[in-house]
Amino acid sequence: MTNWKEKDENYWREKLSAEQFEICREKGTERPFTGEYYTETSPGKYVCACCENTLFESDAKYDSGSGWPSFFAQAEENGIDTETDTSRGMERTEIMCSHCGSHLGHVFPDGPKPTGLRYCVNSLSLKFEPEADESSC
Ligand code: FE
């Protein structure tokens, strides 16, 4: 099994686009209403752009109005790590992929039921895998 946390900076610079590297590995934030997925509503799953760990299901995606992809739950327990982030004069909870440590965004306590959580995620931290269309088989 790949130990993603052992991958060094050079590995990620080669694998990711410059924009993705800045967000995923240097904790950047994409501008709201610019990402690929904030309006995406198709069924499927969202995996980590760096290591393809499953992070979110489309069932838990909703439009928060923030301009970033938003989810009220993570797909699998332990798929996401959290850490307190005090940058920019705010106290927020950063979310990271538990497999590779990639920065995803933040989680806030103002989401909808049933969890009351809002996972606010950069599109560039995600890769969408649409559900297979079984009607065409
Ligand atoms: Fe990952």
Side-chain angles (χ1 to χ4, degrees):
M1 204 175 136
T2 308
N3 187 345
W4 292 100
K5 290 192 174 167
E6 279 180 358
K7 301 290 184 193
D8 64 7
E9 181 180 328
N10 287 338
Y11 173 87
W12 294 118
R13 279 201 192 277
E14 207 156 288
K15 178 174 167 120
L16 303 173
S17 70
E19 294 79 13
Q20 263 178 331
F21 183 86
E22 190 192 328
I23 287 166
C24 298
R25 312 314 307 183
E26 300 189 309
K27 304 184 190 299
T29 303
E30 71 196 10
R31 282 186 300 126
F33 304 102
T34 63
E36 191 178 354
Y37 299 134
Y38 76 96
T39 58
E40 180 63 61
T41 56
S42 309
K45 63 180 183 173
Y46 294 83
V47 303
C48 177
C50 295
C51 77
E52 304 196 354
N53 175 28
T54 299
L55 298 170
F56 301 102
E57 307 275 359
S58 56
D59 289 354
K61 192 172 188 291
Y62 73 105
D63 182 6
S64 68
S66 68
W68 287 286
S70 302
F71 304 84
F72 59 76
Q74 57 174 307
E76 287 159 11
E77 220 179 320
N78 305 324
I80 292 175
D81 287 338
T82 60
E83 202 163 278
T84 302
D85 172 11
T86 57
S87 67
R88 298 179 181 232
M90 292 176 272
E91 186 168 316
R92 295 178 294 173
T93 303
E94 182 191 352
I95 50 177
M96 290 154 293
C97 171
S98 66
H99 287 196
C100 74
S102 175
H103 174 75
L104 305 174
H106 295 86
V107 60
F108 300 93
D110 58 10
K113 288 180 179 176
T115 60
L117 296 174
R118 170 170 62 99
Y119 291 85
C120 183
V121 189
N122 292 290
S123 292
L124 283 168
S125 301
L126 299 171
K127 192 173 101 182
F128 180 57
E129 295 188 345
E131 216 165 74
D133 182 2
E134 283 164 23
S135 62
S136 63
C137 289

mmCIF file of all heavy atoms in Angstrom, residues 4 12 25 47-53 55 96-102 104, ligand 1:
data_model
loop_
_atom_site.group_PDB
_atom_site.id
_atom_site.type_symbol
_atom_site.label_atom_id
_atom_site.label_comp_id
_atom_site.label_asym_id
_atom_site.label_seq_id
_atom_site.Cartn_x
_atom_site.Cartn_y
_atom_site.Cartn_z
ATOM 1 N N TRP A 4 1.303 7.590 1.243
ATOM 2 C CA TRP A 4 1.211 8.893 0.576
ATOM 3 C C TRP A 4 1.889 9.990 1.373
ATOM 4 O O TRP A 4 2.364 10.982 0.810
ATOM 5 C CB TRP A 4 -0.249 9.255 0.326
ATOM 6 C CG TRP A 4 -0.876 8.368 -0.685
ATOM 7 C CD1 TRP A 4 -1.698 7.293 -0.455
ATOM 8 C CD2 TRP A 4 -0.723 8.442 -2.116
ATOM 9 N NE1 TRP A 4 -2.066 6.707 -1.643
ATOM 10 C CE2 TRP A 4 -1.488 7.393 -2.674
ATOM 11 C CE3 TRP A 4 -0.023 9.292 -2.956
ATOM 12 C CZ2 TRP A 4 -1.567 7.183 -4.048
ATOM 13 C CZ3 TRP A 4 -0.100 9.085 -4.328
ATOM 14 C CH2 TRP A 4 -0.867 8.039 -4.863
ATOM 15 N N TRP A 12 4.925 15.903 -5.604
ATOM 16 C CA TRP A 12 3.656 16.614 -5.778
ATOM 17 C C TRP A 12 3.774 17.709 -6.830
ATOM 18 O O TRP A 12 2.841 17.936 -7.599
ATOM 19 C CB TRP A 12 3.173 17.186 -4.443
ATOM 20 C CG TRP A 12 2.817 16.123 -3.456
ATOM 21 C CD1 TRP A 12 3.396 15.885 -2.246
ATOM 22 C CD2 TRP A 12 1.781 15.133 -3.592
ATOM 23 N NE1 TRP A 12 2.811 14.811 -1.628
ATOM 24 C CE2 TRP A 12 1.815 14.326 -2.432
ATOM 25 C CE3 TRP A 12 0.854 14.836 -4.584
ATOM 26 C CZ2 TRP A 12 0.930 13.255 -2.238
ATOM 27 C CZ3 TRP A 12 -0.028 13.770 -4.382
ATOM 28 C CH2 TRP A 12 0.018 13.004 -3.237
ATOM 29 N N ARG A 25 -1.027 21.513 -1.349
ATOM 30 C CA ARG A 25 0.191 21.272 -0.573
ATOM 31 C C ARG A 25 0.624 22.510 0.201
ATOM 32 O O ARG A 25 1.424 22.402 1.123
ATOM 33 C CB ARG A 25 1.336 20.788 -1.473
ATOM 34 C CG ARG A 25 1.012 19.665 -2.438
ATOM 35 C CD ARG A 25 0.245 18.461 -1.921
ATOM 36 N NE ARG A 25 0.767 17.782 -0.747
ATOM 37 C CZ ARG A 25 0.219 16.667 -0.233
ATOM 38 N NH1 ARG A 25 -0.835 16.112 -0.809
ATOM 39 N NH2 ARG A 25 0.711 16.138 0.844
ATOM 40 N N VAL A 47 -13.218 12.278 -4.962
ATOM 41 C CA VAL A 47 -12.025 11.688 -4.356
ATOM 42 C C VAL A 47 -10.944 12.763 -4.245
ATOM 43 O O VAL A 47 -11.022 13.817 -4.872
ATOM 44 C CB VAL A 47 -11.510 10.484 -5.185
ATOM 45 C CG1 VAL A 47 -12.600 9.430 -5.333
ATOM 46 C CG2 VAL A 47 -10.976 10.904 -6.545
ATOM 47 N N CYS A 48 -9.934 12.469 -3.446
ATOM 48 C CA CYS A 48 -8.810 13.394 -3.271
ATOM 49 C C CYS A 48 -8.068 13.560 -4.595
ATOM 50 O O CYS A 48 -7.726 12.566 -5.245
ATOM 51 C CB CYS A 48 -7.877 12.835 -2.196
ATOM 52 S SG CYS A 48 -6.397 13.838 -1.940
ATOM 53 N N ALA A 49 -7.818 14.797 -5.003
ATOM 54 C CA ALA A 49 -7.110 15.067 -6.260
ATOM 55 C C ALA A 49 -5.679 14.552 -6.214
ATOM 56 O O ALA A 49 -5.070 14.292 -7.247
ATOM 57 C CB ALA A 49 -7.100 16.564 -6.545
ATOM 58 N N CYS A 50 -5.135 14.397 -5.022
ATOM 59 C CA CYS A 50 -3.746 13.957 -4.879
ATOM 60 C C CYS A 50 -3.612 12.445 -4.830
ATOM 61 O O CYS A 50 -2.741 11.873 -5.464
ATOM 62 C CB CYS A 50 -3.134 14.551 -3.613
ATOM 63 S SG CYS A 50 -2.979 16.340 -3.649
ATOM 64 N N CYS A 51 -4.469 11.767 -4.052
ATOM 65 C CA CYS A 51 -4.265 10.326 -3.812
ATOM 66 C C CYS A 51 -5.497 9.477 -4.098
ATOM 67 O O CYS A 51 -5.454 8.259 -3.939
ATOM 68 C CB CYS A 51 -3.793 10.098 -2.376
ATOM 69 S SG CYS A 51 -5.123 10.212 -1.147
ATOM 70 N N GLU A 52 -6.618 10.101 -4.494
ATOM 71 C CA GLU A 52 -7.849 9.399 -4.871
ATOM 72 C C GLU A 52 -8.556 8.696 -3.717
ATOM 73 O O GLU A 52 -9.409 7.833 -3.935
ATOM 74 C CB GLU A 52 -7.600 8.450 -6.055
ATOM 75 C CG GLU A 52 -7.009 9.232 -7.225
ATOM 76 C CD GLU A 52 -7.072 8.511 -8.567
ATOM 77 O OE1 GLU A 52 -7.464 7.341 -8.606
ATOM 78 O OE2 GLU A 52 -6.722 9.152 -9.570
ATOM 79 N N ASN A 53 -8.227 9.052 -2.508
ATOM 80 C CA ASN A 53 -9.000 8.623 -1.337
ATOM 81 C C ASN A 53 -10.430 9.171 -1.473
ATOM 82 O O ASN A 53 -10.609 10.344 -1.788
ATOM 83 C CB ASN A 53 -8.315 9.205 -0.090
ATOM 84 C CG ASN A 53 -9.067 8.958 1.210
ATOM 85 O OD1 ASN A 53 -9.793 7.982 1.337
ATOM 86 N ND2 ASN A 53 -8.859 9.847 2.175
ATOM 87 N N LEU A 55 -13.583 10.972 -0.539
ATOM 88 C CA LEU A 55 -13.813 11.986 0.495
ATOM 89 C C LEU A 55 -15.295 12.291 0.697
ATOM 90 O O LEU A 55 -15.765 12.378 1.836
ATOM 91 C CB LEU A 55 -13.078 13.271 0.116
ATOM 92 C CG LEU A 55 -11.559 13.163 0.004
ATOM 93 C CD1 LEU A 55 -10.985 14.421 -0.617
ATOM 94 C CD2 LEU A 55 -10.928 12.892 1.367
ATOM 95 N N MET A 96 -8.257 18.042 6.041
ATOM 96 C CA MET A 96 -7.199 17.458 5.222
ATOM 97 C C MET A 96 -7.513 16.005 4.895
ATOM 98 O O MET A 96 -8.129 15.308 5.701
ATOM 99 C CB MET A 96 -5.866 17.483 5.990
ATOM 100 C CG MET A 96 -5.261 18.842 6.191
ATOM 101 S SD MET A 96 -4.208 18.846 7.660
ATOM 102 C CE MET A 96 -5.442 18.615 8.931
ATOM 103 N N CYS A 97 -7.055 15.559 3.739
ATOM 104 C CA CYS A 97 -7.165 14.144 3.389
ATOM 105 C C CYS A 97 -6.354 13.328 4.395
ATOM 106 O O CYS A 97 -5.191 13.626 4.628
ATOM 107 C CB CYS A 97 -6.628 13.916 1.982
ATOM 108 S SG CYS A 97 -6.489 12.178 1.540
ATOM 109 N N SER A 98 -6.981 12.291 4.979
ATOM 110 C CA SER A 98 -6.267 11.528 6.006
ATOM 111 C C SER A 98 -5.190 10.625 5.403
ATOM 112 O O SER A 98 -4.297 10.176 6.113
ATOM 113 C CB SER A 98 -7.252 10.685 6.821
ATOM 114 O OG SER A 98 -7.837 9.697 6.009
ATOM 115 N N HIS A 99 -5.280 10.362 4.100
ATOM 116 C CA HIS A 99 -4.278 9.479 3.486
ATOM 117 C C HIS A 99 -3.002 10.222 3.103
ATOM 118 O O HIS A 99 -1.913 9.714 3.315
ATOM 119 C CB HIS A 99 -4.847 8.805 2.225
ATOM 120 C CG HIS A 99 -5.853 7.742 2.529
ATOM 121 N ND1 HIS A 99 -6.249 6.801 1.610
ATOM 122 C CD2 HIS A 99 -6.563 7.480 3.654
ATOM 123 C CE1 HIS A 99 -7.156 5.999 2.155
ATOM 124 N NE2 HIS A 99 -7.366 6.400 3.383
ATOM 125 N N CYS A 100 -3.142 11.417 2.525
ATOM 126 C CA CYS A 100 -1.961 12.096 1.987
ATOM 127 C C CYS A 100 -1.706 13.463 2.625
ATOM 128 O O CYS A 100 -0.707 14.101 2.316
ATOM 129 C CB CYS A 100 -2.072 12.251 0.478
ATOM 130 S SG CYS A 100 -3.250 13.510 -0.041
ATOM 131 N N GLY A 101 -2.615 13.914 3.489
ATOM 132 C CA GLY A 101 -2.409 15.197 4.157
ATOM 133 C C GLY A 101 -2.754 16.407 3.308
ATOM 134 O O GLY A 101 -2.537 17.546 3.723
ATOM 135 N N SER A 102 -3.337 16.186 2.125
ATOM 136 C CA SER A 102 -3.670 17.313 1.254
ATOM 137 C C SER A 102 -4.679 18.251 1.915
ATOM 138 O O SER A 102 -5.655 17.812 2.522
ATOM 139 C CB SER A 102 -4.274 16.771 -0.052
ATOM 140 O OG SER A 102 -4.720 17.824 -0.869
ATOM 141 N N LEU A 104 -7.805 20.452 2.045
ATOM 142 C CA LEU A 104 -9.081 20.408 1.310
ATOM 143 C C LEU A 104 -9.851 21.707 1.434
ATOM 144 O O LEU A 104 -10.480 22.167 0.492
ATOM 145 C CB LEU A 104 -9.953 19.264 1.847
ATOM 146 C CG LEU A 104 -9.317 17.866 1.845
ATOM 147 C CD1 LEU A 104 -10.238 16.876 2.546
ATOM 148 C CD2 LEU A 104 -9.029 17.410 0.423
HETATM 149 FE FE FE B 1 -5.332 12.466 -0.442
#
